[in-house]
Amino acid sequence: MNYDATIRIQSSVNVNYFKGISKSIDYIKIPSRTNELANELKRAVMQLCHLKLIETQSVSKYLLNLPIMPQINLNEKLIQSFTNMTSNLSAILASYNNNLFRQMALHMIESFKRFGDLSEKCLFLKIADEMGFPLYLEVDSKLQDRLMASYIENGNQCNKKEMREIILDYYDDDYIDHILDGIRNVQIFNSERVVLIEEGVETYRLGKYGSSASLFAVQLSGMIRDVYEELSTFYRLSNKEKQELLISYNQNCTPDSEKGMLLQIVNSQSQGFMIWYKVLRHFLNIVYSPKGHDMVLQPQRHMICHGKQTNYNTKEMNLKLILCMDIIAELAWRVKNMKKEYSESSFNI
C-alpha cells in the first residue's frame, strides 16, 4: 500500500524546447571565441534541464546577461539565431515556472488524496481489529463506508453493538453465496472438501451453529493445504528460506504446518502488504493460537478441534470462520493467477 509521493520535477518540464536549442547550437560553425559563447549557452541550457524552482530567477538573469563577445564577424543569420534564442529563453522559463507550479499543485493534491485514502484504510483495519472480525478484504467496500460513518457519528469511537449489527446485516445470505461461489469456482480446493463446506453453509443457515463451526474449523486447515500444494507447483522456497520466514514471524512450528504453509503463501504475494500483514496476525495469533487466550470472542481452530473451546455455537463465531475461509479463497484466486502468469512467461521464454 505504499505509494511514492515524491515530486519528480523532470516529468513536468517540456524538454523538447531544450533539445531543440541544443541541437541548433551543435550545428553552428563559427570562430573559436564564438564557440565559447555557444558553449556558455549550452551549459546554461543544461542547467535548465535540472533546474530547481529557487534557481529560476538567477538562471534567467544569467542568461540575459551573457557576455558580449567583441570583434567577431557574425553573419546576419547567426545574429538573428542568437537573438531569437535569447528572447525565447525568458518565455521558456516563464512557461517552465507555470508548468512547475501547476504540476507541484497537482502532485500535492494527489498526495493529500492518497494520504487521506490511506488513512481511511488504516482506520478501517483498526476498527476491524477492535471489533474482532477479519474484515480485511472489505477495504474500500460499502461495509467500510458504513462502519466509518458509524465511527464518526459516535464521536470517533466504535459503538460495538451498532457495528456488530452492521456487520451481521452486511453478510446476508446473498453475500454468503458469493463467498461460497468463490470457493467453488477457483477449482483449487479438493472437490470433496467443497461439498463439505457447502453442507456447512446449509447447516449455518439452519442455525445449527455448533455443527457448522466445527466443520469450518477443520476444513480451514485443508483449504490452506490445497492452496499451498497449488503454489508449490511453480513457486518454492528453500528449507533455509522457510526457516528464516518462520523465525521472522516468531513462529515455533514446522514449515509443513498450516501456519508455515500460510506464511509461505502470503510471502508469495507482491501486493497488499498492509492487508496481508493483518491477515497473518489474525491467523497466527488468534485462529491458530496454541494458547487459547481469545476463546471468549474468537473461534480458534486448535481449541475447537481438541475440544477445549465450546462457545463457538453462535452466528457471530461462525461468520468469523466463514470470513477466514473467504480470505483463503482470495489467496487461492491470487495463486491461480500467479500460476497463469508463470506459465505464460515460461512459454514466451
Side-chain angles (χ1 to χ4, degrees), residues 42-60:
K42 287 174 71 174
R43 279 193 290 271
V45 170
M46 291 303 294
Q47 289 183 30
L48 283 175
C49 293
H50 304 283
L51 192 62
K52 296 179 181 178
L53 179 61
I54 59 175
E55 297 173 342
T56 303
Q57 292 182 346
S58 60
V59 174
S60 177

Side-chain angles (χ1 to χ4, degrees), residues 15 21 35 43 45 92 106 121 169 200 219 224 271 292 314 321 336-338:
V15 294
I21 294 173
N35 281 335
R43 279 193 290 271
V45 170
I92 293 171
L106 291 174
K121 290 179 174 67
D169 178 69
Q219 296 309 315
I224 292 174
Q271 296 178 335
T314 66
L321 286 168
K336 184 175 182 177
N337 289 337
M338 288 170 60

Side-chain angles (χ1 to χ4, degrees), residues 80-131:
Q80 185 61 43
S81 176
F82 275 118
T83 301
N84 291 340
M85 282 189 292
T86 303
S87 61
N88 285 337
L89 282 172
S90 293
I92 293 171
L93 281 172
S95 175
Y96 171 80
N97 269 331
N98 291 334
N99 287 334
L100 181 60
F101 278 119
R102 181 163 50 86
Q103 292 296 327
M104 286 181 67
L106 291 174
H107 277 293
M108 288 178 67
I109 292 171
E110 181 64 21
S111 295
F112 280 123
K113 183 178 181 298
R114 290 187 178 185
F115 179 77
D117 292 343
L118 183 61
S119 297
E120 285 193 0
K121 290 179 174 67
C122 290
L123 179 56
F124 172 71
L125 294 175
K126 181 180 177 182
I127 290 172
D129 286 341
E130 187 170 342
M131 291 299 299

Side-chain angles (χ1 to χ4, degrees), residues 23-30 34-35 38 78 81-82 85:
K23 186 175 181 180
S24 299
I25 293 173
D26 289 337
Y27 283 97
I28 295 177
K29 304 297 181 181
I30 50 179
T34 307
N35 281 335
L78 185 58
S81 176
F82 275 118
M85 282 189 292

Side-chain angles (χ1 to χ4, degrees), residues 277-293:
Y277 173 74
K278 290 284 189 179
V279 165
L280 281 177
R281 277 186 48 182
H282 186 79
F283 274 81
L284 299 178
N285 300 336
I286 297 177
V287 180
Y288 282 90
S289 171
K291 300 177 181 179
H293 293 321

Side-chain angles (χ1 to χ4, degrees), residues 2 58 71 81-82 108 115 120 134 160-161 180 216 222-223 234 253 266 269 283 306 319 333-334:
N2 294 329
S58 60
Q71 300 177 350
S81 176
F82 275 118
M108 288 178 67
F115 179 77
E120 285 193 0
K160 291 191 175 183
K161 182 179 179 181
L180 192 55
F216 294 151
M223 292 175 72
F234 65 94
C253 60
V266 172
Q269 303 305 304
F283 274 81
H306 292 290
L319 181 55
W333 281 101
R334 288 171 175 262

Side-chain angles (χ1 to χ4, degrees), residues 207-215 312-314 318:
K208 305 295 183 180
Y209 298 128
S211 299
S212 55
S214 299
L215 188 149
Y312 53 85
N313 57 335
T314 66
N318 274 252

